Amino acid sequence: MITALTRLVEHIEAHLGEELDVAAVARAHGTTEYHLRRMFSSLAGMPLSEYVRRRRMTVAAGDLVGDEELLTIAVRHGYGSTEAFSRAFQAVHGIAPAAVRRNGGPLRTQPQLRFRLTVEGSIPMDTRIIDRPAFRLVGHAARVHLVHRGANPAIQAHIAALPVSEHARLKGLSDTEPAGLLQVSADVDPDYTEGSELTYLHGVARAGNSPTFDDLDVIDVPAGTWAVFRTSGAYPDALQTTWASTATDWFPANPWRLRPGPSIVSVLDRADDFSTATCELWLPVERERQP
């Protein structure tokens, strides 16, 4: 994975003004575009698309020193008009290209990323790999925005709007793993961009051939392999730390990669005020292939 990410950064540098072919880089290293994008965003702390934009605008800033036409510079860096280029430039640098030509800055430089292997992972992760037949997630779904750290207010409001009796009803419908009430995130942006929309479902897992209900939303999950991570501690901090550690520690050290599908959190035990909890994080995975 470190090699694949390094080659991806090198590919970006060599083709800054072109359409980025992430899928080709992924195939060359026996992985998928989905997994490569997710690992990049988790390790770099920004979506791949944002990194590309920052690098383009960093290089473009140097081109502005001179009398070359703005449209020529815009096209060189992948933009079809000076207006689109100016918007992207100002979003990165906080200043218009014309102002840079007059005053020389200030500019915000994005250095080229370098991924290095460091010795970490001294704390073992409680993980199991299981194969599951197709199953069905049923419950109440809502479109919410992705939040990386801390509680998600939209999800909290969604759950709070459900009557207490509905939580009990849903729990009674659970008849397969993952057990109990579940927190499901589906249709997540592959770049894992904070603020992007996803589908959140508060519900339970049922067997794949179980009947549906007119008042409940359904996500059908195909058969596949899952990596299950158990975590305990302050909620949601311990869970979010474990989620981040899957990218920094677990995936680079194991022959597995993420595959498209929902991520699922099963709350096994919790304090009355939900300040602490024991959870299982279910991530859909498949074996990494050698290039």
Side-chain angles (χ1 to χ4, degrees):
M1 181 49 56
I2 298 299
T3 300
L5 289 169
T6 299
R7 296 294 178 266
L8 176 60
V9 169
E10 292 172 350
H11 180 81
I12 291 169
E13 291 301 310
H15 303 88
L16 272 177
E18 304 171 21
E19 190 71 25
L20 182 61
D21 192 352
V22 184
V25 178
R27 285 194 302 270
H29 293 278
T31 189
T32 66
E33 179 179 357
Y34 181 87
H35 183 65
L36 197 58
R37 284 182 177 273
R38 288 293 293 272
M39 290 301 99
F40 183 97
S41 61
S42 296
L43 294 172
M46 73 181 89
L48 177 59
S49 56
E50 176 63 17
Y51 173 71
V52 172
R53 184 177 68 162
R54 291 184 186 182
R55 283 297 300 149
R56 283 177 175 170
M57 294 303 100
T58 295
V59 175
D63 293 345
L64 289 173
V65 180
D67 55 5
E68 192 173 24
E69 288 189 2
L70 191 59
L71 180 58
T72 302
I73 297 173
V75 171
R76 180 184 305 135
H77 294 285
Y79 293 87
S81 69
T82 56
E83 291 80 7
F85 172 77
S86 296
R87 285 195 299 270
F89 190 92
Q90 186 149 2
V92 171
H93 294 289
I95 188 172
V100 172
R101 284 197 151 165
R102 286 194 307 270
N103 307 317
L107 298 168
R108 298 170 185 163
T109 300
Q110 171 62 61
Q112 182 178 340
L113 287 180
R114 291 176 175 82
F115 293 92
R116 294 189 177 94
L117 183 64
T118 59
V119 179
E120 295 179 344
S122 59
I123 301 175
M125 297 183 72
D126 187 351
T127 313
R128 57 193 173 109
I129 303 292
I130 60 173
D131 290 319
R132 294 284 290 115
F135 61 95
R136 180 167 281 169
L137 297 164
V138 301
H140 297 277
R143 293 292 285 175
V144 302
H145 291 100
L146 178 64
V147 174
H148 285 169
R149 300 296 299 181
N152 187 315
I155 291 177
Q156 288 181 319
H158 174 62
I159 296 173
L162 299 174
V164 174
S165 59
E166 186 62 11
H167 296 285
R169 175 203 174 200
L170 287 172
K171 197 168 184 178
L173 293 175
S174 174
D175 64 6
T176 190
E177 280 198 298
L181 287 173
L182 307 175
Q183 304 166 3
V184 181
S185 298
D187 307 321
V188 181
D189 172 27
D191 279 345
Y192 214 60
T193 308
E194 184 155 24
S196 60
E197 279 198 336
L198 60 95
T199 298
Y200 175 83
L201 182 135
H202 179 75
V204 295
R206 288 173 59 80
N209 59 355
S210 60
T212 59
F213 301 85
D214 292 339
D215 62 333
L216 296 178
D217 298 298
V218 177
I219 298 174
D220 284 314
V221 182
T225 304
W226 297 79
V228 184
F229 305 87
R230 181 174 288 225
T231 181
S232 297
Y235 183 87
D237 294 348
L239 175 62
Q240 291 171 334
T241 297
T242 296
W243 205 312
S245 295
T246 65
T248 58
D249 297 341
W250 194 82
F251 278 109
N254 289 276
W256 299 93
R257 65 188 180 198
L258 285 167
R259 58 181 172 85
S263 56
I264 304 170
V265 174
S266 171
V267 180
L268 305 177
D269 189 28
R270 67 179 181 88
D272 291 339
D273 62 357
F274 226 142
S275 59
T276 61
T278 297
C279 304
E280 282 189 340
L281 169 62
W282 289 58
L283 297 179
V285 298
E286 60 188 5
R287 278 199 172 273
E288 195 67 88
R289 294 181 178 86
Q290 293 299 316

